[in-house]
Amino acid sequence: MTAVLLISGSTRGASTNTAALRTVAAIAPEGIETFWYEGLAELPAFNPDDDGTAHPSVHALREHLSRADAVLLCTPEYAGTLPGSFKNLLDWTVGTADLYEKPTAFLNVAAQGRGEGAAATLTTVLGYVGAVVDPANCPRLPVARDAVDTNGLVTTPEFRTGALAALTLLARQAAHV
């Protein structure tokens, strides 16, 4: 069983990024267990002096990352880069090597012409923390708001096919680490 941690970079309730990851969880094949870190909004602002903090949301993040064989991210772009809350989450991983040599991928679900700033920043930060990222496994799979059903799942076959391929490749990568 390969355990894949899902982290949405959005705190928005009706986020297409969260819907994308919810769909990944729903279509995960046998042999791949997905689970969530949902404490993004509760994380305190990163302060290097507090890196050994016992704050519950930081502790939960670190527990989730240590349990994961791989990590799959999906984040919106705000002001041309990562949302501050999501960058804050990544900042909490710098000093502890929580992502070091961990297979990691991300889905870009932004509409064409959007999301490139977030993807570029995410690639830079993940490289800095030593995550193992295969750029070929970070697909652009645009999701329109009307492609999300009342259960919060993405309905388009193109998204589902691309997301399943990304998840399967990520799990295969984790099995070889």
Side-chain angles (χ1 to χ4, degrees):
M1 181 70 69
T2 301
V4 178
L5 175 60
L6 306 175
I7 302 175
S8 174
S10 179
T11 56
R12 186 172 171 268
S15 166
T16 54
N17 296 275
T18 303
L21 292 177
R22 192 178 299 116
T23 305
V24 166
I27 64 174
E30 188 173 319
I32 300 175
E33 171 199 7
T34 62
F35 64 106
W36 291 85
Y37 173 74
E38 298 180 291
L40 180 65
E42 287 79 40
L43 280 172
F46 177 73
N47 178 337
D49 292 337
D50 296 334
D51 204 13
T53 187
H55 192 280
S57 62
V58 174
H59 182 70
L61 173 63
R62 291 188 170 144
E63 281 187 355
H64 280 67
L65 288 167
S66 69
R67 178 179 161 217
D69 298 310
V71 179
L72 183 61
L73 310 166
C74 192
T75 185
E77 177 178 273
Y78 290 137
T81 190
L82 297 174
S85 57
F86 186 62
K87 175 63 168 67
N88 183 56
L89 178 146
L90 295 172
D91 287 345
W92 278 107
T93 73
V94 172
T96 57
D98 292 316
L99 288 171
Y100 184 72
E101 295 188 350
K102 186 154 317 246
T104 304
F106 59 88
L107 306 177
N108 181 344
V109 300
Q112 290 295 8
R114 307 222 34 198
E116 294 307 317
T121 303
L122 189 51
T123 298
T124 298
V125 173
L126 291 175
Y128 185 82
V129 299
V132 178
V133 179
D134 177 354
N137 197 29
C138 298
R140 172 180 277 284
L141 301 168
V143 173
R145 292 201 193 288
D146 63 358
V148 178
D149 68 16
T150 56
N151 296 314
L153 300 175
V154 180
T155 59
T156 59
E158 299 82 12
F159 173 82
R160 287 172 170 253
T161 299
L164 180 58
L167 177 64
T168 303
L169 182 58
L170 182 61
R172 191 174 310 133
Q173 185 182 15
H176 289 59
V177 170

